[in-house]
C-alpha cells in the first residue's frame, strides 16, 4: 500500500511539474509575443504564431492562428512532405536520349536526336557533380558517337510535351518571372532554367553599365541592358523582365559601382536551351546537323510534324528525391517546388496544370489531417505567388504530423539552420516567416510556425525581432 501511495505521489509530482513547465513556457511566449506584436513595425500588419508540443500534440501557444497569411517560402515544407509521401524518398526522374530514323553505314543519321524530359529540375544543375551541364552534355555526345553517328540529317529536338511546354504559375508577378528565382517549369528543365550575366559598372554613379559576359552561350536571346551604375554599397538591384518563350530580356535597375557579382536571370525556355547546347556541343565534336535545334512545343506551334523517337541511346537518372529536396529547402529553389508539384499531380491525377497541382496539394493535407480547406489557399508549390494563404495552425499541425514518418530524418536535415534553430524561412514583399522545430529547455519537442505580413521598415530588423521572439522556445 505504501509503495502504491509513493508511486501515485511521484506520478502526481511529474504531472504537476510538466503542467508547471508548460504553463511557464506558454506565459513566457505570451509575454514575448505581446511585445513583438505591439511594435510600431506591425501597426498596419499582422503576426501569427502557433507552437505545438509535438509529444502530446497540444497547443502551447497560438495567436491569430486561424488567419490566412501569405507564407512565402515556408510553403516549401508542405510541398516537400507531400512529395515524400506521394513520390517516395528514392524517386528519380528519367531523361531519355534517343534518335528517330536510320543510321547508314557511313554514320549518317537520317533522322533527329531526341531528348525526352520527365520534369527533372536538376538536369544540368551544378548542385551535384553528375548533374552539371558539361557532364550531361559530354555523356550525350559520347553516347551519340558510340552509336556510330557522324552526321545528322535532321536536328536536336527536345520532347517537352509532358507538361505542354514551358510555363510559370499564373499567380507569379512580372517582376519575378525574369529573374532566376522566378524561372518557369517544363518537362525538360536545364541548368535550373537560369543563366548568369556579368556586368561592368560605369565610371560614375548613374552611368550606363555594360555586359561583359554570360555564364553560357545564349546568343539566340537579345539582352537589352538598361541598367545604370548604383552608388557604393548599394549592391545588386538589377531586375530582368521577360516571359516564357520571349526572345528579348530587358535588364533594368542599378548595379553597385563597387560590386563584383554574377547576376542570374531566368531562361524563357530551358528546353530550347538544352537543345541549343547539345546542338553546339555536337558541332564542336565534328557532328554537324542540317536543321536548327528546337522542341516539340515549338514544332507544334509551327504546325510541323512531331518525330517519333526510335532507338534509345541513354537513360539518364536524376539524384534521388531526398537529395533534391535537400537543395530545395536549403537554397529555397522555387523551380524545384513547381517541378515536384507537377510531378505529383501528373502521377496522381494525370494532370499538368499548376492550379490542379495546388488543389491536389491542398486536398492531400486537408483530407489527411482534417484541416479546414479555408486554412490552405494554394497557388503554387514554392510560395512565390503573393496570392498564397496559409494559417500557422495548419502549418504547425502538418509539421507535427510528419515527425513519425520514416523519412522525417531526411526532411529535418533539409531544413536550414537560422538563429540556431532548424527552420524554413520565407520572404517576399512585406512578408517574413519561419517554421520548424525546437527542443525546449525541459526536453519537450516543439513545432512552431511564425508568419508576419505587411510589416513596415527594413527586413533585417524584423528578422531580429522574430528571432528574439522564437528564442523563448529555447
Amino acid at each position: 500500500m505504501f509503495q502504491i501511495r509513493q508511486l501515485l505521489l511521484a506520478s502526481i509530482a511529474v504531472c504537476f511539474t510538466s503542467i508547471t513547465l508548460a504553463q511557464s513556457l506558454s506565459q513566457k511566449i505570451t509575454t514575448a509575443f505581446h511585445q513583438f506584436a505591439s511594435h510600431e513595425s506591425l501597426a498596419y500588419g499582422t503576426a501569427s504564431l502557433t507552437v505545438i508540443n509535438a509529444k502530446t500534440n497540444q497547443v502551447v501557444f497560438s495567436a491569430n492562428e486561424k488567419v490566412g497569411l501569405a507564407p512565402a517560402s515556408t510553403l516549401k515544407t508542405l510541398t516537400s512532405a507531400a512529395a515524400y509521401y506521394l513520390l517516395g524518398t528514392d524517386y528519380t526522374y528519367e531523361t531519355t536520349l534517343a534518335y528517330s530514323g536510320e543510321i547508314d553505314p557511313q554514320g549518317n543519321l537520317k533522322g533527329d536526336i531526341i531528348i525526352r524530359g520527365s520534369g527533372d529540375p536538376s538536369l544540368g544543375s551544378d548542385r551535384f557533380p553528375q548533374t552539371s551541364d558539361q557532364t550531361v552534355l559530354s555523356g550525350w555526345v559520347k553516347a551519340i558517337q558510340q552509336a556510330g553517328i557522324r552526321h545528322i540529317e535532321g536536328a536536336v529536338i527536345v520532347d517537352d510535351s509532358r507538361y505542354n511546354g514551358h510555363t510559370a504559375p499564373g499567380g507569379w508577378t512580372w517582376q519575378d518571372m525574369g529573374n532566376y528565382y522566378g524561372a518557369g517549369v517544363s518537362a525538360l528543365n536545364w541548368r535550373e532554367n537560369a543563366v548568369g550575366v556579368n556586368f561592368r559598372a560605369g565610371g560614375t554613379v548613374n552611368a550606363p553599365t555594360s555586359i561583359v559576359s554570360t555564364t553560357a552561350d545564349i546568343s539566340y536571346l537579345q539582352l537589352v541592358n538598361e541598367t545604370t551604375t548604383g552608388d557604393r554599397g548599394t549592391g545588386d538591384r538589377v531586375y530582368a523582365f521577360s516571359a516564357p518563350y520571349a526572345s528579348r530580356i530587358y535588364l533594368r535597375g542599378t548595379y553597385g559601382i563597387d560590386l563584383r557579382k554574377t547576376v542570374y536571370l531566368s531562361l524563357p525556355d530551358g528546353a530550347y536551351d538544352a537543345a541549343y547546347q547539345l546542338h553546339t556541343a555536337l558541332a564542336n565534336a565534328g557532328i554537324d546537323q542540317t536543321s536548327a535545334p528546337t522542341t516539340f512545343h515549338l514544332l507544334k506551334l509551327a504546325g510541323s510534324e512531331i518525330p517519333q523517337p526510335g532507338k534509345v541511346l541513354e537513360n539518364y537518372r536524376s539524384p534521388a528525391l531526398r537529395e533534391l529536396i535537400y537543395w530545395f529547402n536549403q537554397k529555397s529553389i522555387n523551380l524545384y517546388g513547381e517541378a515536384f508539384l507537377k510531378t505529383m499531380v501528373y502521377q496522381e491525377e494525370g494532370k499538368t496544370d499548376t492550379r490542379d497541382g495546388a488543389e491536389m496539394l491542398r486536398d492531400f493535407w486537408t483530407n489527411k489531417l482534417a484541416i479546414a480547406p479555408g486554412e490552405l489557399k494554394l497557388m503554387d508549390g514554392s510560395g512565390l505567388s503573393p496570392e498564397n494563404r496559409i494559417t500557422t495552425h495548419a502549418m504547425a499541425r502538418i509539421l507535427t504530423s510528419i515527425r513519425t514518418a520514416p523519412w522525417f530524418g531526411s526532411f529535418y536535415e533539409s531544413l536550414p539552420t537560422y538563429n540556431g534553430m532548424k527552420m524554413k524561412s520565407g520572404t517576399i514583399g512585406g512578408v517574413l516567416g519561419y517554421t520548424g522545430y525546437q527542443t525546449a529547455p525541459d526536453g519537450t519537442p516543439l513545432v512552431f510556425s511564425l508568419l508576419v505580413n505587411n510589416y513596415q521598415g527594413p527586413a533585417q530588423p524584423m528578422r531580429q525581432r522574430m528571432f528574439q521572439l522564437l528564442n523563448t522556445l529555447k
Side-chain angles (χ1 to χ4, degrees):
M1 187 69 177
F2 177 78
Q3 289 180 335
I4 294 174
R5 182 181 298 172
Q6 290 293 98
L7 287 172
L8 182 60
L9 289 173
S11 298
I12 292 172
V14 169
C15 290
F16 180 77
T17 302
S18 297
I19 292 170
T20 302
L21 287 170
Q23 288 176 338
S24 175
L25 178 59
S26 177
Q27 291 167 356
K28 188 178 178 184
I29 300 172
T30 299
T31 301
F33 184 83
H34 178 75
Q35 182 178 356
F36 173 79
S38 61
H39 192 273
E40 61 183 2
S41 60
L42 285 170
Y44 310 104
T46 304
S48 174
L49 172 63
T50 298
V51 180
I52 295 177
N53 179 329
K55 184 182 293 184
T56 64
N57 291 328
Q58 297 299 308
V59 174
V60 176
F61 175 85
S62 62
N64 297 322
E65 71 278 8
K66 293 292 184 74
V67 177
L69 298 175
S73 284
T74 62
L75 170 60
K76 290 179 171 68
T77 58
L78 275 61
T79 304
S80 300
Y84 272 120
Y85 274 123
L86 297 176
L87 302 177
T89 59
D90 296 325
Y91 179 88
T92 58
Y93 291 89
E94 182 178 78
T95 302
T96 303
L97 180 72
Y99 66 86
S100 64
E102 299 293 335
I103 306 171
D104 69 19
Q106 288 72 46
N108 297 309
L109 170 62
K110 296 183 179 180
D112 303 297
I113 297 294
I114 299 173
I115 311 167
R116 178 185 294 157
S118 64
D120 180 2
S122 68
L123 187 69
S125 168
D126 61 3
R127 309 283 173 192
F128 309 90
Q130 71 271 32
T131 65
S132 74
D133 56 350
Q134 291 307 310
T135 298
V136 174
L137 287 172
S138 296
W140 285 343
V141 170
K142 184 177 179 181
I144 291 168
Q145 289 173 327
Q146 289 179 338
I149 298 173
R150 300 291 177 264
H151 171 77
I152 299 171
E153 294 182 20
V156 173
I157 307 176
V158 165
D159 178 356
D160 57 347
S161 59
R162 175 173 292 188
Y163 299 153
N164 302 311
H166 182 94
T167 59
W172 287 11
T173 68
W174 172 240
Q175 180 168 288
D176 290 335
M177 288 191 296
N179 302 286
Y180 75 95
Y181 60 84
V185 65
S186 168
L188 197 295
N189 305 294
W190 180 249
R191 281 199 327 270
E192 297 180 1
N193 295 341
V195 66
V197 177
N198 294 308
F199 291 87
R200 179 183 291 116
T204 58
V205 174
N206 296 324
T209 70
S210 56
I211 294 176
V212 177
S213 63
T214 56
T215 57
D217 176 11
I218 53 168
S219 55
Y220 60 88
L221 293 172
Q222 181 185 5
L223 300 182
V224 181
N225 183 21
E226 299 177 354
T227 62
T228 57
T229 304
D231 207 346
R232 186 175 298 274
T234 56
D236 169 19
R237 296 181 180 176
V238 176
Y239 284 91
F241 293 87
S242 68
Y245 300 108
S247 59
R248 184 180 296 128
I249 300 175
Y250 289 90
L251 303 169
R252 295 168 180 161
T254 61
Y255 185 88
I257 195 167
D258 57 340
L259 189 62
R260 300 292 183 272
K261 176 187 176 182
T262 301
V263 177
Y264 281 84
L265 326 173
S266 68
L267 288 168
D269 185 359
Y272 176 81
D273 191 76
Y276 179 83
Q277 303 304 336
L278 180 56
H279 167 89
T280 303
L282 287 170
N284 291 339
I287 304 175
D288 60 330
Q289 305 123 70
T290 59
S291 299
T294 188
T295 69
F296 275 28
H297 184 76
L298 295 176
L299 288 174
K300 184 178 178 181
L301 288 177
S304 301
E305 183 179 350
I306 306 296
Q308 295 299 314
K311 186 174 180 180
V312 173
L313 296 172
E314 179 183 279
N315 286 316
Y316 169 88
R317 287 279 178 184
S318 74
L321 180 77
R322 62 182 179 278
E323 299 176 80
L324 301 181
I325 284 180
Y326 177 84
W327 287 113
F328 173 46
N329 285 327
Q330 283 285 320
K331 296 300 182 182
S332 209
I333 313 168
N334 295 317
L335 168 68
Y336 283 43
E338 304 316 318
F340 297 153
L341 194 68
K342 282 183 176 284
T343 303
M344 287 187 284
V345 76
Y346 181 80
Q347 178 170 291
E348 295 296 307
E349 302 177 6
K351 298 178 180 178
T352 61
D353 189 77
T354 296
R355 287 185 180 271
D356 292 325
E359 289 178 7
M360 181 219 67
L361 184 60
R362 178 202 63 197
D363 293 345
F364 175 81
W365 288 117
T366 57
N367 293 335
K368 188 174 185 63
L369 300 177
I371 295 172
E375 294 194 53
L376 295 171
K377 178 189 175 185
L378 307 181
M379 301 298 292
D380 60 26
S382 62
L384 185 58
S385 171
E387 295 181 52
N388 289 306
R389 295 291 182 273
I390 298 178
T391 67
T392 60
H393 168 262
M395 187 88 75
R397 280 197 60 197
I398 291 169
L399 264 63
T400 301
S401 73
I402 66 175
R403 288 182 74 254
T404 56
W407 41 260
F408 176 71
S410 176
F411 173 85
Y412 183 82
E413 283 302 312
S414 77
L415 298 179
T417 300
Y418 300 108
N419 192 42
M421 306 172 78
K422 270 288 191 179
M423 55 188 181
K424 184 73 190 77
S425 66
T427 307
I428 54 175
V431 174
L432 283 174
Y434 292 98
T435 187
Y437 303 90
Q438 179 61 38
T439 301
D442 67 341
T444 301
L446 302 174
V447 178
F448 63 88
S449 181
L450 172 62
L451 293 176
V452 170
N453 278 201
N454 201 42
Y455 66 91
Q456 307 299 303
Q460 189 56 26
M462 175 56 78
R463 286 194 186 94
Q464 293 306 313
R465 287 191 290 273
M466 294 173 79
F467 289 164
Q468 187 175 356
L469 169 60
L470 292 174
N471 281 343
T472 60
L473 308 184
K474 296 181 177 180

